[in-house]
Amino acid sequence: MFVVNMMTSFGLRPEELYDMPLEENANIMESLIILLPTKKTRNYKLTRRLKINLNLAVTLQTYFDDRSSFINFLNETHITIREPNRVLLGENGGTLNKSSITKEFDRLCESAGFRNIKMCLSMFRHRFITREVKAELLLRFNTNPEFARELTPALRDDVSRVVIRKTGHRDPRSVWTYVDEEYKLLTSDDNLQKLNSTKDDIEQTKNSLLDFCYRNQIQTKGRNSDQIDEIRKALKVLEHQLFALQTKKDM
């Protein structure tokens, strides 16, 4: 699940997860920042610093804690760990190849019954980019509704430059297609596109709700109860919208 969480949350390339620095991410619960390497660029020392919410920090820290317990067990049984600073460890602390991440995901997909459906790790990256593009477009629509009238070259470039800071792309033009397609979806009257957009909104709202719940329990001792109730109400509204769109689609 650690691999799936990382791919879902950050749209990583497999080699970026493989080379993720361990010590630099030792205090994610306090910093709420994760450091990730960027591959496929001329500067291989380039690192992305991304903010994370408390819910995700707790999830990732759980893996790091379990990993430490595993290493302690191996040390107690006098098993040598070849690369103890790798985030991912193989059986008995053995070394994992970069290709092992992809092969293991393929094995899980096949075991889950997805044999005739295209499933690959790059789909997580595509979804991450799409989600970030959507967030940036909506932010600009809320700031200036005129942006929803036309996708200008300036708007496309502005959104792209912000998104590539998170994705690790070198050239803003690499995400232009994502901006074009997401802009069409957000400004279209097509019910199917609205349905997909609403599903995504519900997923993001649930993530926000989980984050507030964690903060409520750990940091504020219940002072966020009103905010949590507001998110629950928003979630119900979105679910009603989804049901209405689904009903209209099936008619």
Side-chain angles (χ1 to χ4, degrees):
M1 283 305 297
F2 174 75
V3 172
V4 172
N5 279 326
M6 291 296 295
M7 294 297 182
T8 302
S9 302
F10 307 110
L12 297 177
R13 304 176 178 95
E15 57 267 31
E16 292 173 344
L17 177 59
Y18 180 82
D19 290 329
M20 176 181 170
L22 189 62
E23 292 185 6
E24 289 85 340
N25 290 297
N27 297 314
I28 56 174
M29 286 289 293
E30 297 179 7
S31 66
L32 294 182
I33 291 176
I34 191 166
L35 275 67
L36 300 169
T38 300
K39 302 298 181 180
K40 291 191 176 181
T41 64
R42 294 180 181 178
N43 185 359
Y44 283 95
K45 294 183 179 180
L46 185 63
T47 301
R48 310 200 294 279
R49 294 173 57 90
L50 303 179
K51 293 182 179 180
I52 60 176
N53 60 37
L54 185 60
N55 173 34
L56 182 56
V58 170
T59 300
L60 300 183
Q61 188 62 53
T62 299
Y63 171 78
F64 291 140
D65 292 343
D66 290 343
R67 181 187 177 282
S68 296
S69 298
F70 178 54
I71 289 179
N72 290 336
F73 168 77
L74 294 177
N75 289 332
E76 291 172 359
T77 53
H78 305 290
I79 296 177
T80 302
I81 305 173
R82 295 181 181 178
E83 294 184 282
N85 293 324
R86 289 288 181 191
V87 170
L88 300 177
L89 299 174
E91 186 177 3
N92 292 326
T95 303
L96 281 177
N97 296 322
K98 295 180 182 180
S99 60
S100 298
I101 301 175
T102 301
K103 291 179 180 178
E104 181 65 12
F105 181 74
D106 292 341
R107 184 190 67 79
L108 289 174
C109 290
E110 185 172 346
S111 299
F114 297 109
R115 295 181 177 85
N116 299 319
I117 301 175
K118 182 180 179 181
M119 302 284 288
C120 59
L121 289 175
S122 62
M123 297 174 72
F124 288 100
R125 183 165 175 79
H126 294 317
R127 179 169 175 77
F128 174 77
I129 297 170
T130 300
R131 189 171 66 238
E132 292 301 318
V133 166
K134 177 182 178 180
E136 293 299 328
L137 284 172
L138 288 176
L139 180 63
R140 285 156 181 76
F141 290 172
N142 291 333
T143 303
N144 185 354
E146 290 297 318
F147 283 136
R149 293 181 177 273
E150 180 185 4
L151 177 59
T152 63
L155 176 59
R156 180 193 290 115
D157 190 62
D158 181 39
V159 170
S160 299
R161 289 187 181 280
V162 173
V163 170
I164 64 173
R165 297 173 194 163
K166 301 178 183 180
T167 63
H169 286 96
R170 184 165 171 251
D171 191 339
R173 291 175 295 181
S174 299
V175 297
W176 278 7
T177 300
Y178 293 93
V179 178
D180 291 345
E181 292 302 316
E182 194 61 25
Y183 189 91
K184 291 178 184 177
L185 189 152
L186 292 174
T187 57
S188 172
D189 292 329
D190 183 81
N191 284 329
L192 179 59
Q193 291 183 331
K194 284 187 176 181
L195 178 64
N196 292 331
S197 181
T198 303
K199 286 181 178 179
D200 191 54
D201 289 340
I202 289 177
E203 181 178 337
Q204 294 304 310
T205 304
K206 287 181 177 178
N207 290 338
S208 297
L209 180 60
L210 282 174
D211 186 46
F212 271 123
C213 286
Y214 274 107
R215 291 181 183 276
N216 198 45
Q217 295 171 5
I218 297 175
Q219 293 182 337
T220 65
K221 297 181 180 180
R223 291 197 297 272
N224 279 333
S225 297
D226 291 341
Q227 290 173 296
I228 292 175
D229 289 340
E230 288 299 318
I231 293 178
R232 286 199 176 101
K233 291 177 182 178
L235 183 59
K236 287 184 179 180
V237 171
L238 287 172
E239 287 176 332
H240 285 308
Q241 291 178 358
L242 179 63
F243 178 76
L245 288 170
Q246 185 69 56
T247 302
K248 185 179 293 186
K249 174 178 174 291
D250 294 337
M251 291 178 61

